[in-house]
Amino acid sequence: MNKGALAPKLKLSLPPPDEVALSKFLTQSGTFKDGDLLVNKDGIRIISDKHVETSTVIKPTDNQLSLADFEYVKVIGKGNGGVVRLVQHKWTAQFFALKVIQMNIEESIRRHIAQELRINQSSQCPYVVICYEAFFDNGAISIILEYMDGGSLQDFLKIVKRIPEPYLAAICKQVLKGLWYLHHEKHIIHRDLKPSNLLINHRGDVKITDFGVSVVLASTSGAANTFVGTYNYMSPERIEGGSHGYRSDIWSLGLVLLECATGDFPYTPPRPEEGWDNVYELMETIVDQPEPCAPPDQFSPEFCSFISKCVQKDPKKRLSANELMRHPFISMYDHLDIDLASYFTAVRPPPATF
Ligand code: ATP
Ligand code: MG
């Protein structure tokens, strides 16, 4: 079991809701609380019981937060585990993403998983997607997440095909800050870093999501065989089933950046026109072939060096998130004052939810 799962609960605050949401909300009165989630005139926030002024809290039993407090808007994504929907909180009019993971496992294990998710995903970092609550609902776990109106980097990449280096450096800086937080503050290995788990918004924010999910699933005997995600970004040591640590996330980061830069997943099947025969062929290639690199004729020496500091088959040769923050690639385009907000919204205007 991941030690981070036992981390103390954190006091967190959301940025204030937008004016419209706030004015609607102010017509309501009262405060209600469910677990670590507190809703009152200041919006919604996760709180530690220790930090709550008793005068502002109504006991959980007095006014339970439930899925019924959220209104369905539309489906915004589908993964292997389930569906992600845009929902709106009825009191505050704030938008959230509701992720539902179908799990055909017994009630007690599901309850345990939701509890772990709640603790693992309480987050104080602007570079990771906030998980507000986890519920049981009809044999599924429902997670209320911060809504990222730009979708995932995978969605974005489908449109732009390639991301130029200066933008990639700005994106990478935020991902490294998120990874630094997960690794050094929360002691969590993400284990499933990939373009669809990096979410973006109209403010130019890039945030890591779905950390802890694979930890929880892997640590639950009933769910041990439920991994149906992609092996594409998995480090060689993890594929081989050996011990793996924080640096396996760094491998994944390197592959993600290389794919964003070149527009293609860095490994090609032995017969490219036929694609991968099966997942074992892909896994064998990652373990047996030399690590991929950025073509030096197309990219700066700094970018090529950065990739090679991440994509090393020997995890000891990879740099840590902290060390990568100081790599020259990260600051080489600082003078350009890159505006990710304009870049993201020009390509993909946000839906009219804000
Ligand atoms: P897999 O199931 O293999 O991990 P995935 O990461 O694409 O794949 P999900 O995590 O279920 O699967 O996400 C599906 C899609 O839903 C994402 O690609 C993204 O477009 C969208 N999405 C997920 N979470 C959010 C969120 N918090 N805000 C906005 N969109 C989201
Ligand atoms: Mg995901």
Side-chain angles (χ1 to χ4, degrees):
M1 178 58 54
N2 185 313
K3 296 278 188 301
L6 303 172
K9 290 175 186 176
L10 299 164
K11 182 181 183 186
L12 303 164
S13 359
L14 261 185
D18 63 85
E19 292 304 314
V20 180
L22 198 57
S23 63
K24 269 190 203 171
F25 184 72
L26 286 173
T27 62
Q28 311 281 341
S29 63
T31 295
F32 69 86
K33 180 177 176 285
D34 176 81
D36 297 337
L37 192 72
L38 180 77
V39 181
N40 66 12
K41 65 178 169 47
D42 299 323
I44 300 180
R45 63 199 167 101
I46 297 180
I47 38 100
S48 153
D49 285 345
K50 279 187 227 113
H51 294 95
V52 179
E53 292 161 34
T54 43
S55 60
T56 63
V57 180
I58 291 174
K59 286 192 214 101
T61 45
D62 292 344
N63 206 342
Q64 288 277 322
L65 181 73
S66 76
L67 286 173
D69 296 318
F70 297 92
E71 211 152 75
Y72 166 78
V73 180
K74 62 176 181 179
V75 170
I76 45 175
K78 282 196 177 102
N80 284 306
V83 181
V84 182
R85 295 182 178 87
L86 176 64
V87 294
Q88 190 169 25
H89 188 256
K90 288 175 187 169
W91 284 35
T92 61
Q94 273 185 278
F95 289 96
F96 294 87
L98 172 66
K99 178 168 183 164
V100 180
I101 307 172
Q102 291 298 335
M103 306 202 85
N104 297 319
I105 49 172
E106 65 185 68
E107 173 76 17
S108 61
I109 296 175
R110 286 205 307 271
R111 195 170 288 280
H112 171 72
I113 290 174
Q115 181 61 23
E116 294 285 323
L117 282 172
R118 191 181 303 204
I119 298 169
N120 263 349
Q121 302 204 335
S122 62
S123 152
Q124 250 182 341
C125 174
Y127 306 101
V128 303
V129 171
I130 300 172
C131 167
Y132 291 101
E133 219 6 317
F135 303 101
F136 304 114
D137 181 43
N138 269 338
I141 290 189
S142 302
I143 310 171
I144 302 283
L145 296 163
E146 173 181 11
Y147 171 52
M148 297 291 284
D149 61 3
S152 73
L153 209 56
Q154 183 184 42
D155 306 329
F156 187 76
L157 209 51
K158 272 190 199 139
I159 303 169
V160 296
K161 308 296 179 214
R162 286 183 200 89
I163 299 177
E165 268 191 41
Y167 294 107
L168 214 42
I171 290 170
C172 183
K173 202 182 281 185
Q174 297 192 50
V175 178
L176 282 175
K177 287 179 183 170
L179 272 183
W180 184 88
Y181 174 79
L182 293 182
H183 292 173
H184 296 267
E185 295 276 310
K186 300 280 279 182
H187 309 292
I188 289 175
I189 306 167
H190 188 296
R191 291 183 167 86
D192 200 16
L193 199 70
K194 56 186 177 181
S196 69
N197 283 339
L198 296 172
L199 303 182
I200 60 178
N201 69 17
H202 71 282
R203 294 193 195 94
D205 299 328
V206 183
K207 305 193 183 199
I208 303 175
T209 192
D210 281 353
F211 54 93
V213 175
S214 57
V215 177
V216 166
L217 293 182
S219 68
T220 309
S221 59
N225 297 321
T226 57
F227 183 80
V228 283
T230 175
Y231 288 85
N232 287 26
Y233 307 92
M234 211 181 254
S235 63
E237 69 274 16
R238 197 168 162 219
I239 289 175
E240 288 185 303
S243 68
H244 59 277
Y246 301 123
R247 308 257 165 137
S248 69
D249 286 343
I250 301 296
W251 168 278
S252 311
L253 171 70
L255 287 197
V256 169
L257 291 174
L258 199 46
E259 181 172 339
C260 290
T262 62
D264 293 309
F265 178 63
Y267 289 96
T268 36
R271 293 165 306 284
E273 59 298 339
E274 291 171 31
W276 297 101
D277 262 359
N278 53 52
V279 72
Y280 300 106
E281 192 178 48
L282 166 68
M283 289 158 82
E284 237 172 66
T285 306
I286 295 171
V287 171
D288 295 340
Q289 295 301 307
E291 50 274 271
C293 61
D297 55 329
Q298 293 170 37
F299 297 99
S300 68
E302 288 86 349
F303 180 71
C304 298
S305 151
F306 188 93
I307 294 296
S308 81
K309 301 291 182 206
C310 300
V311 189
Q312 286 287 335
K313 283 165 82 176
D314 178 357
K316 291 197 275 310
K317 291 189 184 156
R318 294 173 211 150
L319 296 188
S320 69
N322 210 14
E323 289 164 333
L324 286 168
M325 286 289 290
R326 296 193 296 270
H327 189 281
F329 170 66
I330 294 303
S331 48
M332 72 183 285
Y333 296 108
D334 278 358
H335 63 285
L336 297 179
D337 275 333
I338 289 298
D339 178 2
L340 282 180
S342 308
Y343 179 53
F344 291 158
T345 50
V347 171
R348 210 169 176 229
T353 45
F354 286 93

